[in-house]
Amino acid sequence: MARARHTSFECSPGCAVEATLSLIDGKWKGVVLYHLLDSTLRFNEIRKKLPSVTQRMLTNQLRSLETDGLIERKVYPVIPPKVEYSLTERGRSLEPVIMALKHWGDANKELWPDEFGLVVAAD
Amino acid sequence: MARARHTSFECSPGCAVEATLSLIDGKWKGVVLYHLLDSTLRFNEIRKKLPSVTQRMLTNQLRSLETDGLIERKVYPVIPPKVEYSLTERGRSLEPVIMALKHWGDANKELWPDEFGLVVAAD
DNA sequence: CGGTATCCTAGGTGATACTG
DNA sequence: CAGTATCACCTAGGATACCG
């Protein structure tokens, strides 16, 4: 369908922010992209890096990233199955964004929400 | 409770990405922050910049941003009411992040999801 | 003007079990 | 190993109406 010629945007300029955000929200997309910056990874390799993600959710997020053209999924027809995920060029172009997010996060650890697994000293 | 001494983080490094993301997700937070980069704004001024946000949602997002220490809410006890929103220092420190999101979005308009109000040439 | 209060829905997320 | 399929929940988000 006619997604084709979006000749003009009535969006206020900030809309670009949301557009980008919409691609990397979802509970795990950010981290997945981050880890793929380093190297191509297999399904279970990604999984190991995300302690608490479920199989279903990881599959979901990966499919979504694939649909958005940010990652590529390469299936090797072997047994047992082997599937590799890597960044597309477009995905890699997000590197500055991902790194900006990471740097800010590192610089502001003190105020991370509780969910992010901080270990509180028992004593 | 003891949010106090998060002495260590077991999070894999990518966690910082999610932590930051968690502060600016929510359908309108990104744009709101973006617009506040320019200037302090009143409630309805922000609203005008977000064509389709509902009053309730905008209030929600603003409260959330305030709770996270990213914006400041200043109430003038006058009639009619006047409330101004501005970035805190911490909020402003997100500028590189916001701008990274915006730049990428601008550079990749072609593949914005449909929801972002693109106007397709009828012809 | 700048909000609450209430109600409602879609879909994002999780748990679990099964499969090629 | 890398997924589907189901079920079930819960919160983000929207519509609407009222308030100080």
Side-chain angles (χ1 to χ4, degrees):
Chain A
M1 210 278 293
R3 263 201 72 149
R5 316 220 317 261
H6 16 51
T7 52
S8 90
F9 291 81
E10 296 307 331
C11 271
S12 54
C15 199
V17 177
E18 286 303 322
T20 307
L21 226 30
S22 77
L23 297 180
I24 61 182
D25 72 3
K27 205 167 181 182
W28 307 98
K29 291 192 199 171
V31 225
V32 169
L33 289 174
Y34 173 76
H35 287 298
L36 288 179
L37 285 176
D38 282 341
S39 62
T40 293
L41 292 172
R42 297 180 59 172
F43 185 83
N44 272 354
E45 289 175 329
I46 301 180
R47 212 180 162 191
K48 276 184 205 118
K49 292 178 182 293
L50 286 343
S52 58
V53 73
T54 65
Q55 208 164 28
R56 196 182 83 95
M57 273 312 297
L58 184 52
T59 304
N60 267 0
Q61 306 289 291
L62 289 169
R63 289 291 187 283
S64 172
L65 289 168
E66 193 190 358
T67 299
D68 290 333
L70 300 178
I71 67 173
E72 188 185 4
R73 177 170 179 266
K74 185 162 187 180
V75 181
Y76 296 85
V78 296
I79 298 202
K82 172 174 172 178
V83 180
E84 282 185 349
Y85 293 92
S86 58
L87 293 180
T88 59
E89 235 179 78
R90 178 163 348 267
R92 182 153 300 278
S93 76
L94 271 173
E95 180 159 7
V97 176
I98 306 291
M99 292 318 285
L101 289 167
K102 173 167 170 49
H103 290 144
W104 195 92
D106 282 337
N108 294 271
K109 289 191 176 187
E110 331 79 42
L111 46 80
W112 283 11
D114 287 341
E115 315 90 65
F116 284 95
L118 37 137
V119 178
V120 178
D123 165 6
Chain B
M1 211 279 291
R3 258 205 76 148
R5 317 220 317 262
H6 17 51
T7 51
S8 91
F9 292 81
E10 296 306 331
C11 272
S12 55
C15 198
V17 177
E18 285 303 322
T20 307
L21 225 30
S22 76
L23 297 179
I24 60 182
D25 72 4
K27 205 165 180 183
W28 306 98
K29 290 192 200 173
V31 225
V32 169
L33 289 174
Y34 173 76
H35 287 298
L36 288 179
L37 284 176
D38 282 341
S39 62
T40 293
L41 292 173
R42 296 181 61 174
F43 185 85
N44 273 353
E45 288 175 330
I46 300 179
R47 212 179 162 190
K48 275 184 207 119
K49 292 177 182 291
L50 287 342
S52 58
V53 73
T54 64
Q55 208 162 28
R56 196 183 84 94
M57 274 311 298
L58 183 52
T59 305
N60 268 0
Q61 306 290 293
L62 288 170
R63 288 292 187 284
S64 172
L65 289 169
E66 192 189 359
T67 299
D68 290 334
L70 300 179
I71 67 174
E72 188 184 5
R73 178 169 179 265
K74 185 162 187 179
V75 182
Y76 296 84
V78 296
I79 297 200
K82 172 176 173 178
V83 180
E84 281 185 350
Y85 292 91
S86 57
L87 293 180
T88 58
E89 236 179 77
R90 180 164 345 266
R92 182 152 301 277
S93 76
L94 272 173
E95 180 158 8
V97 175
I98 306 291
M99 292 318 285
L101 290 167
K102 172 167 170 50
H103 290 143
W104 196 92
D106 282 337
N108 292 273
K109 288 190 175 186
E110 331 78 42
L111 45 80
W112 282 11
D114 288 340
E115 314 91 63
F116 284 95
L118 39 136
V119 178
V120 179
D123 166 9

